[in-house]
Amino acid sequence: QVQLVESGGGLVQPGGSLTLSCAASGSFLFIGTMGWYRQAPGNGRELVARTTSDGITNYADSVKGRFTVSRDNAKNTIHLQMNSLKPEDTAVYYCNAAYVDYYREYWGQGTQVTVSS
């Protein structure tokens, strides 16, 4: 079993910044991909950004140039630096660990990000 613990959500004004962090713990040998997804009210869950163990990253078009994902393989942590936040970034953000020991997938409990003046 793998636990993903997220931190760093909150309320921020438009144009502001937040950093989300996620730490994986438990019984595993390898995590292939770690990433962040988000879900706004009335919408489905969508990819925000993800990174493989060898540093390949993917971003949603809506966050390119504003968000940066980084990963520390030794500490099994992932961070999402979010800059120039917009009200449409408001959502619950979920940490994801996929291809854990090649075939398992886990989700964090979610952290709320609200962008509002």
Side-chain angles (χ1 to χ4, degrees):
Q1 189 73 341
V2 175
Q3 293 79 41
L4 300 175
V5 179
E6 301 136 331
S7 60
L11 173 65
V12 63
Q13 292 187 342
S17 299
L18 276 177
T19 300
L20 304 182
S21 297
C22 174
S25 63
S27 178
F28 60 90
L29 297 175
F30 172 78
I31 300 177
T33 302
M34 294 187 77
W36 291 95
Y37 291 70
R38 68 187 180 187
Q39 186 167 16
N43 292 350
R45 193 171 296 187
E46 63 175 2
L47 172 70
V48 177
R50 62 187 173 195
T51 179
T52 66
S53 59
D54 53 3
I56 298 172
T57 59
N58 296 102
Y59 292 91
D61 288 342
S62 60
V63 307
K64 284 181 181 176
R66 300 188 297 122
F67 291 10
T68 302
V69 65
S70 60
R71 177 174 173 175
D72 185 331
N73 289 327
K75 296 181 178 179
N76 294 309
T77 58
I78 184 173
H79 307 282
L80 184 68
Q81 175 66 44
M82 305 185 292
N83 298 326
S84 302
L85 282 160
K86 304 175 181 180
E88 51 263 45
D89 294 317
T90 296
V92 178
Y93 285 68
Y94 296 90
C95 179
N96 174 268
Y99 304 105
V100 178
D101 295 339
Y102 299 106
Y103 67 94
R104 293 182 289 163
E105 183 176 22
Y106 297 92
W107 293 91
Q109 79 284 358
T111 185
Q112 177 71 45
V113 171
T114 302
V115 184
S116 175
S117 55

